[in-house]
Amino acid sequence: MSTTELIAPLHADMTAWRRDIHAHPELGFEEARTADLVARQLEAWGLEVHRGVGRTGVVGTLRAGSGSRSVGLRADMDALPIDEANTFAHRSQHAGVMHACGHDGHTAMLLGAARYLSQTRRFSGVVHFIFQPAEEGLGGAKAMVDDGLFERFPCEAIFGMHNRPSLEVGRFAVRSGPMMAGGAFFDIRITGKGAHGARPETGVDAALAAAQVAVSLQSIVSRNVPPVETAVLSVTRIHSGDAYNVIPQTAALGGTVRAFSREVMKLVEASMRRVASGTAAAFGATAEVDFRELFIPTVNDPAEAEFAARICTELVGAANVMRQPPLIMASEDFSFMLERVPGCYINIGNGSANGEGGCEVHNPAYDFNDAALPLGAAFFARLVEARLTA
Ligand code: NI
């Protein structure tokens, strides 16, 4: 029987796990119940299980045959601080927390693959099932890497996937090279000299300096970043002053930067430091820049992307595998694992724009589409069988 045929009977189990996790969402690094559910299942299927990797992460290891080659498969487990608007039976039971990004589905698909591979073992080598915490901006991937993930569980290549609303169920999208942006947050503190609102000549107006800094920062992407590269710099906060008759002594700006290479991100950071301090100095003020790179760009290894696309094509046919889809400006912290081990992150269709599963992620009406579960599990399973041939 084919892998797809053998996975089909697991659809009901995967749906049950997915809905159970959806009903009990947990924020990053608080995934105690979810991690326990995952670890207990893996243990029941005979995998060697390690809990507490990167705080609440879980790794399950499955060996078959005598092969020594290894592959890592990764899913994320955390939910978002959003109040769920859905009213179906499996809606979130925790006010203010919901699985609005489909990580419940990612976890269920990887569990499905682990269940199938532990039953069939039609491969020779080692598979590490990596269930990571805190993908949503809290650094869960990095926490696992810093906890020795790849020293303790060496992987020749790693793979992960994210559901994509507006891509039909039954389709995949695979991109070689850069795929998702790296992201940074910044804060700029401008210091001038407070004065009476009617006597500007006795002070240094921090609000005016901040306004000029906000304008000047917009020259960085247009004048410093090479036109063939791309970046976004958005000033999203400006705060200064409390009174009508006081020239403020300080002002604060904040915002975000996105780029597809670390070189461009470094260029933007250096330019920001120069532009902020130089512009502030022109007004007699000073600027202090705090630049924090939170996510590095998600970059797929070309050979591993080819391999992943081949597996997708085998499952759904070339017509249903979107190759080189447009770059995604959002960020993904699987990038910190891909920085260490070559691999590929793919997208799996969650449903067409106006149909079931079409609601965008991070929306209170979002839900992972259970129809995609067997296909996601089959991708992971076939990938292992094709790579670690018995
Ligand atoms: Ni997500």
Side-chain angles (χ1 to χ4, degrees):
M1 277 214 280
S2 75
T3 303
T4 311
E5 286 167 336
L6 289 166
I7 281 180
L10 299 177
H11 197 172
D13 280 347
M14 284 191 276
T15 302
W17 301 327
R18 207 284 292 177
R19 294 185 178 188
D20 183 14
I21 297 169
H22 188 95
H24 302 92
E26 295 168 305
L27 294 174
F29 290 128
E30 295 174 12
E31 305 94 334
R33 183 187 186 277
T34 311
D36 190 54
L37 182 153
V38 165
R40 286 215 240 170
Q41 293 287 13
L42 298 177
E43 278 159 2
W45 304 330
L47 277 75
E48 176 190 312
V49 176
H50 300 262
R51 299 172 186 239
V53 183
R55 292 166 68 178
T56 41
V58 176
V59 179
T61 299
L62 180 66
R63 293 169 214 278
S66 55
S68 60
R69 297 182 65 192
S70 60
V71 66
L73 307 174
R74 172 275 200 182
D76 40 15
M77 301 189 290
D78 58 322
L80 283 157
I82 294 177
D83 220 2
E84 179 155 11
N86 297 310
T87 54
F88 43 59
H90 64 276
R91 70 183 175 276
S92 170
Q93 292 178 17
H94 303 160
V97 188
M98 98 174 258
H99 271 291
C101 202
H103 299 185
D104 48 347
H106 304 164
T107 298
M109 290 190 289
L110 190 52
L111 280 174
R115 176 75 183 120
Y116 161 83
L117 288 165
S118 67
Q119 280 174 332
T120 53
R121 297 178 187 248
R122 299 198 290 201
F123 67 95
S124 179
V126 186
V127 186
H128 297 298
F129 298 87
I130 302 166
F131 292 87
Q132 88 148 72
E135 191 284 322
E136 299 285 359
L138 296 172
K142 195 163 181 309
M144 290 190 92
V145 170
D146 290 347
D147 204 6
L149 177 67
F150 295 123
E151 289 77 27
R152 295 165 68 188
F153 312 100
C155 300
E156 187 182 286
I158 49 167
F159 298 87
M161 77 175 91
H162 204 292
N163 74 94
R164 184 194 279 199
S166 81
L167 185 68
E168 294 86 346
V169 171
R171 301 195 70 192
F172 290 104
V174 183
R175 200 181 153 93
S176 177
M179 172 190 177
M180 299 177 73
F185 287 170
F186 64 86
D187 283 294
I188 301 174
R189 187 170 176 83
I190 310 276
T191 305
K193 185 181 173 203
H196 193 291
R199 297 190 61 211
E201 77 281 10
T202 64
V204 173
D205 187 349
L208 176 62
Q212 286 295 339
V213 167
V215 171
S216 300
L217 289 177
Q218 292 308 320
S219 71
I220 294 173
V221 172
S222 69
R223 303 290 85 181
N224 299 140
V225 174
V228 293
E229 302 278 359
T230 183
V232 177
L233 189 165
S234 295
V235 175
T236 56
R237 312 153 49 103
I238 302 182
H239 296 291
S240 185
D242 300 301
Y244 288 101
N245 59 352
V246 177
I247 287 172
Q249 171 144 322
T250 60
L253 292 91
T256 187
V257 178
R258 306 293 161 114
F260 288 98
S261 81
R262 296 194 83 176
E263 291 70 35
V264 169
M265 188 62 91
K266 287 207 177 344
L267 172 70
V268 172
E269 180 185 354
S271 303
M272 179 179 290
R273 292 186 187 282
R274 185 189 70 245
V275 168
S277 63
T279 304
F283 292 86
T286 58
E288 235 177 285
V289 177
D290 179 24
F291 193 94
R292 306 182 295 280
E293 192 180 15
L294 301 179
F295 290 97
I296 59 176
T298 303
V299 182
N300 290 326
D301 178 85
E304 300 304 349
E306 253 341 284
F307 172 65
R310 178 161 76 75
I311 301 301
C312 293
T313 303
E314 182 195 303
L315 291 170
V316 296
N320 290 313
V321 183
M322 193 195 265
R323 297 302 311 271
Q324 296 307 92
L327 291 164
I328 298 171
M329 221 65 225
S331 302
E332 161 62 53
D333 90 342
F334 186 53
S335 55
F336 288 97
M337 295 188 185
L338 285 174
E339 187 192 31
R340 295 285 302 274
V341 176
C344 184
Y345 197 56
I346 69 164
N347 281 141
I348 179 169
N350 199 57
S352 54
N354 298 313
E356 195 186 344
C359 177
E360 280 303 326
V361 296
H362 294 213
N363 181 293
Y366 170 85
D367 193 30
F368 183 88
N369 192 339
D370 290 317
L373 291 168
L375 195 53
F379 168 77
F380 283 134
R382 275 304 301 150
L383 182 161
V384 168
E385 292 173 341
R387 191 175 192 97
L388 309 180
T389 42

